[in-house]
Amino acid sequence: MQMEQQILRIPGPTPIPPSVQRAMSQPMIGHRGQEMQALLEALKGKLKPIFGTKEEVLLFTSSGTAALETAVVNAVEPGEEVIVIVSGAFGDRFTKICEEYHILVHRYDVTWGEAASPDQLQHLLQKHQDVKAVFATFCETSTGVLNPIKDLASVVHQYSNALFIVDGVSCIGATETQMDEWGLDIVVTGSQKAMMLPAGLAFVAASKRAWEAIEHNQQPRFYLDMRKYRNKLEENSSPFTPAVSLLLGLKQAIALMEDEGLSTIYKRHQLMGEMTRNAFHALNIPLLTKDTDGSPTVTAVRPADFSAEALRKVLRSEFGLTIAGGQQHLKGAIFRIGHMGYCNPADVLQIISLMEIGLRKINKNIELGKGVRAAQNVYLNNK
């Protein structure tokens, strides 16, 4: 194997399209000049359809976790009550952020690998009637679950006056998101997943009712103050030094998304998820999630009779193929395959083919080509 050749198929960061890399290599421009103003003016309108909103999408030079913290610190005050849906490591992260700010958290713990239940959420809302917000993870990256955000939002608004705040880091741009129509009050994501960029940008959008809460929130905040970003964005500027190169890349990434069309992007990701899942079904290798709960952007596999870490190691050493392991109590028990952003069905066929060889290398008795054939049939039947 050529050591410089790497095949990155983890659920973030994801590969970068060559044209986006070239865009980020453009000469630096002044972050307070007219060129930057023109860039921000163009970007702010183009981000709205990806979120399914007419509201402004704020741009932060930060990680996705900073976006989660932004949602917490702007919407909720110390001492207030919230419900956090914890279906994996990133729901748990929402809990930790809330607790750090002395917010009273009622956890709705979901078995890892399962989707949150709207009925269970309804029960909690009826039990805790003073909650200020409900936090949920759209795609739980650690388990490969896509939570039923539309249905959860409906329950939140039917049974409470709480804000519904959504972590969309590993699916916005790959999964249909209708923030306004579904009643999502704050939605956040990061640049390094389906948005096809390096890490370093975060995106936050808020509904009108969320903005009312933000305006009246007495919680101190400085760098993560959404009001600063909204006010500066109205002037096509930013309150602090932006990641100029990433913004230049973002313009090109959105151009690629516009060329393909959002509905086509969503279908492509759904297809890749189905190809991946059906391949492992054909190989009789268990998945962590049910097909009805599985995400179109990441698939979690829970082998019963071979080592997930042994497979990851041989794929890395033999082919330069990097897939992700498990997190927290699933560490060593699962492996995760990212198929989002700059990824297409041909990449999925490559992944499955290499995995079959890797499985044979670690003495897992499988029929070569069986998984690939199943993935091929899914592709053909979807055309």
Side-chain angles (χ1 to χ4, degrees):
M1 184 198 76
Q2 293 178 325
M3 295 306 295
E4 290 188 358
Q5 184 181 12
Q6 300 294 325
I7 306 170
L8 185 65
R9 292 301 168 201
I10 61 176
T14 61
I16 311 300
S19 64
V20 174
Q21 290 180 327
R22 291 193 295 271
M24 291 188 295
S25 297
Q26 293 178 70
M28 187 57 57
I29 60 175
H31 68 289
R32 299 299 181 208
Q34 291 183 350
E35 288 176 289
M36 177 56 70
Q37 288 182 329
L39 177 59
L40 289 173
E41 184 174 18
L43 287 174
K44 66 182 185 182
K46 293 176 179 295
L47 285 165
K48 293 179 182 181
I50 299 170
F51 281 71
T53 186
K54 294 180 180 179
E55 306 299 327
E56 296 292 359
V57 180
L58 309 181
L59 292 157
F60 289 73
T61 299
S62 67
S63 66
T65 299
L68 305 186
E69 186 166 343
T70 296
V72 171
V73 76
N74 282 272
V76 189
E77 296 186 36
E80 292 183 323
E81 298 180 45
V82 300
I83 291 173
V84 179
I85 302 172
V86 182
S87 56
F90 294 94
D92 187 56
R93 185 168 296 182
F94 252 146
T95 296
K96 291 175 180 175
I97 295 169
C98 288
E99 290 176 341
E100 193 70 26
Y101 284 98
H102 305 290
I103 294 163
L104 177 59
V105 175
H106 303 291
R107 289 175 64 111
Y108 165 23
D109 280 297
V110 184
T111 300
W112 287 34
E114 297 180 5
S117 162
D119 291 339
Q120 288 295 321
L121 178 58
Q122 175 186 333
H123 173 74
L124 271 176
L125 287 166
Q126 291 173 322
K127 183 178 179 181
H128 303 289
Q129 297 185 3
D130 294 326
V131 296
K132 178 70 176 293
V134 176
F135 293 87
T137 310
F138 199 162
C139 172
E140 178 49 71
T141 321
S142 64
T143 63
V145 164
L146 192 74
N147 280 309
I149 290 298
K150 180 180 179 181
D151 295 337
L152 294 171
S154 178
V155 167
V156 170
H157 296 309
Q158 184 176 353
Y159 292 95
S160 77
N161 292 316
L163 298 174
F164 190 45
I165 299 173
V166 178
D167 164 8
V169 170
S170 60
C171 64
I172 299 294
T175 302
E176 182 180 11
T177 305
Q178 297 296 338
M179 176 178 156
D180 294 350
E181 180 183 332
W182 298 350
L184 313 183
D185 290 301
I186 299 180
V187 179
V188 308
T189 193
S191 55
Q192 76 278 18
K193 307 278 186 171
M195 298 299 290
M196 302 184 293
L197 289 161
L201 286 180
F203 309 86
V204 183
S207 68
K208 286 182 171 58
R209 66 192 298 265
W211 274 115
E212 184 176 350
I214 292 164
E215 292 286 3
H216 291 91
N217 188 355
Q218 299 301 307
Q219 169 68 36
R221 62 266 201 199
F222 184 74
Y223 187 78
L224 300 181
D225 189 342
M226 289 174 61
R227 296 167 299 185
K228 292 185 175 77
Y229 288 85
R230 178 197 57 190
N231 295 341
K232 282 296 184 181
L233 193 59
E234 290 176 356
E235 304 170 5
N236 296 319
S237 185
S238 59
F240 309 105
T241 306
V244 176
S245 295
L246 290 177
L247 293 174
L248 292 168
L250 176 62
K251 181 180 179 182
Q252 176 59 23
I254 292 176
L256 294 177
M257 296 173 76
E258 289 177 338
D259 286 345
E260 186 175 1
L262 286 175
S263 63
T264 304
I265 290 172
Y266 302 151
K267 290 175 183 177
R268 169 168 57 86
H269 282 85
Q270 188 65 37
L271 174 59
M272 292 190 295
E274 291 176 6
M275 289 172 67
T276 305
R277 297 184 69 84
N278 276 271
F280 285 100
H281 288 323
L283 294 169
N284 293 314
I285 297 174
L287 300 175
L288 181 64
T289 66
K290 296 186 298 185
D291 287 349
T292 52
D293 297 340
S295 169
T297 60
V298 54
T299 297
V301 184
R302 188 169 198 168
D305 56 0
F306 65 88
S307 166
E309 292 305 299
L311 178 62
R312 292 180 64 219
K313 183 177 180 180
V314 75
L315 290 173
R316 176 73 174 171
S317 63
E318 293 275 342
F319 302 113
L321 170 59
T322 302
I323 58 174
Q327 295 177 287
Q328 296 189 19
H329 68 275
L330 290 179
K331 187 174 182 178
I334 67 169
F335 59 88
R336 296 173 296 141
I337 304 162
H339 34 78
M340 74 178 93
Y342 186 49
C343 185
N344 63 41
D347 297 312
V348 173
L349 293 174
Q350 179 193 45
I351 295 165
I352 301 303
S353 175
L354 297 181
M355 285 205 165
E356 288 185 342
I357 298 173
L359 288 165
R360 289 287 286 267
K361 285 274 188 177
I362 62 170
N363 299 316
K364 167 67 176 172
N365 186 20
I366 61 157
E367 178 186 337
L368 287 175
K370 194 171 184 180
V372 173
R373 186 163 58 250
Q376 289 172 328
N377 284 329
V378 170
Y379 180 85
L380 290 170
N381 291 334
N382 274 270
K383 292 296 177 182

